[in-house]
Amino acid sequence: MDTSIIVLTWEDHVKTGACVRSLPAAAEIVVVDNGSGAEVSAALRAMCAQTGARYVRSEENLGYSRGMNLGVRHSTRRDIILANNDVIAGDEVVTRLVAALRDPTVGAAFPSVRNHDGSEATEGGRFLSVRVGLGHATGLSAIIPALRITTAPDRADWLTGPFVAIRRETLDAIGGVDESAFFYSEDLRLCWAVRRLGLRIAFVRDAVIEHENDSTAKKVWSREEISRRQTREFIRASKSQGGRRGRVATTAYAAGTVMRAVVARSTVRRAIARGAIEGLRTP
């Protein structure tokens, strides 16, 4: 199997071990320890020695993008899968995603995502346009589905990427995983970069993974803090992608989040509004 799977982890060896053991033995598996403490680091080293995975350590937490790029530099095979450590994926998942990459028009392949209870967890959406931003600001997105930022996975411009397959040549062509953010919106940026090459995103419905969403983030951040950071990075990424139109679109979208926070008066809504404003102000 000409596939390298990069598993990024921080302060966890239990979920990481389960993830590695679910992957094909024929794949090259690179576990990137993103600055874990001594005890977790020792457990990860032992697990890698037992399973045959390659252990790569960073002495500091590099964040998602830099950590993944570190792992890619230690990999050798033609196709690459970027994997969160809280994913369970069998041999068939990897085979089906890699098979999708054999189509030269496909730049990246994404699986169908399920929660532990089997419920649907695949997320995707449209790139933020002026039309979609204004729909969010005016509330029209509530009654007109075409103005919503989220959409069905098979029609999405971008998909969330806890387990994404990409050819090495494609990843090289886009300059690796975009390191503009420490955490969040890497998948949005990756899909944008792949599409700018004239390639498309493949949603492989019959490649099904199990994923625990935000398991690492929940160790250190509250629900409100996660929402703030997610929104901030979404706005930052969308603003950089669209030039002048991107600035108009993100300003409109941010206005919509502020109005919803005023109406709903919930802590999460307020956190989302703060994140949107921060995203507008941050390069």
Side-chain angles (χ1 to χ4, degrees):
M1 177 177 284
D2 202 5
T3 304
S4 298
I5 304 176
I6 316 301
V7 180
L8 182 65
T9 185
W10 174 75
E11 292 294 354
D12 173 87
H13 66 89
V14 176
K15 292 184 178 69
T16 307
C19 173
V20 168
R21 291 182 175 91
S22 76
L23 300 173
E28 176 185 57
I29 301 172
V30 179
V31 174
V32 177
D33 178 358
N34 217 0
S36 301
E39 184 176 344
V40 172
S41 176
L44 287 169
R45 288 178 188 272
M47 181 273 294
C48 288
Q50 185 179 63
T51 60
R54 179 175 300 170
Y55 175 85
V56 175
R57 175 169 173 80
S58 168
E59 293 302 324
E60 62 176 315
N61 188 341
L62 300 173
Y64 178 91
S65 301
R66 291 174 63 201
M68 281 297 187
N69 285 333
L70 174 62
V72 170
R73 290 195 294 273
H74 283 82
S75 68
T76 63
R77 300 189 183 178
R78 174 188 60 183
D79 299 314
I80 295 170
I81 292 178
L82 307 175
N84 288 16
N85 72 307
D86 50 6
V87 163
I88 299 297
D91 292 20
E92 286 189 358
V93 173
V94 174
T95 299
R96 287 168 178 167
L97 290 177
V98 169
L101 296 180
R102 301 288 70 82
D103 181 341
T105 70
V106 170
F110 291 76
S112 181
V113 184
R114 297 287 186 275
N115 293 313
H116 290 321
D117 62 4
S119 58
E120 176 64 48
T122 309
E123 296 179 358
R126 300 176 174 88
F127 293 133
L128 184 53
S129 64
V130 173
R131 180 168 172 262
V132 171
L134 290 173
H136 189 74
T138 59
L140 287 174
S141 58
I143 57 176
I144 304 175
L147 295 180
R148 295 172 189 165
I149 194 65
T150 57
T151 190
D154 52 1
R155 296 196 298 271
D157 295 325
W158 57 270
L159 292 160
T160 51
F163 200 79
V164 54
I166 186 168
R167 289 184 294 274
R168 182 180 296 276
E169 63 180 4
T170 304
L171 191 59
D172 288 345
I174 65 174
V177 184
D178 191 312
E179 297 183 358
S180 299
F182 181 80
F183 202 48
Y184 292 128
S185 285
E186 304 88 1
D187 34 25
L188 172 63
R189 293 178 185 272
L190 184 142
C191 290
W192 175 268
V194 166
R195 287 182 179 274
R196 290 194 71 184
L197 294 178
L199 301 173
R200 64 186 180 89
I201 304 302
F203 172 55
V204 186
R205 188 178 296 277
D206 60 354
V208 181
I209 66 168
E210 184 180 304
H211 177 234
E212 182 179 346
N213 193 34
D214 280 325
S215 65
T216 298
K218 289 173 184 174
K219 292 180 181 180
V220 291
W221 296 326
S222 66
R223 182 185 176 196
E224 288 80 5
E225 181 66 8
I226 290 172
S227 297
R228 182 182 72 84
R229 289 173 178 265
Q230 286 176 330
T231 306
R232 182 188 67 201
E233 297 311 324
F234 170 72
I235 292 293
R236 287 186 64 228
S238 298
K239 182 176 61 176
S240 68
Q241 290 164 0
R244 184 177 63 83
R245 286 180 173 270
R247 290 191 291 274
V248 173
T250 51
T251 300
Y253 188 89
T257 67
V258 171
M259 286 188 285
R260 284 165 173 77
V262 171
V263 172
R265 296 180 179 275
S266 76
T267 57
V268 171
R269 287 288 187 185
R270 287 198 294 270
I272 290 171
R274 286 197 301 273
I277 293 169
E278 289 173 4
L280 290 177
R281 293 173 174 173
T282 307

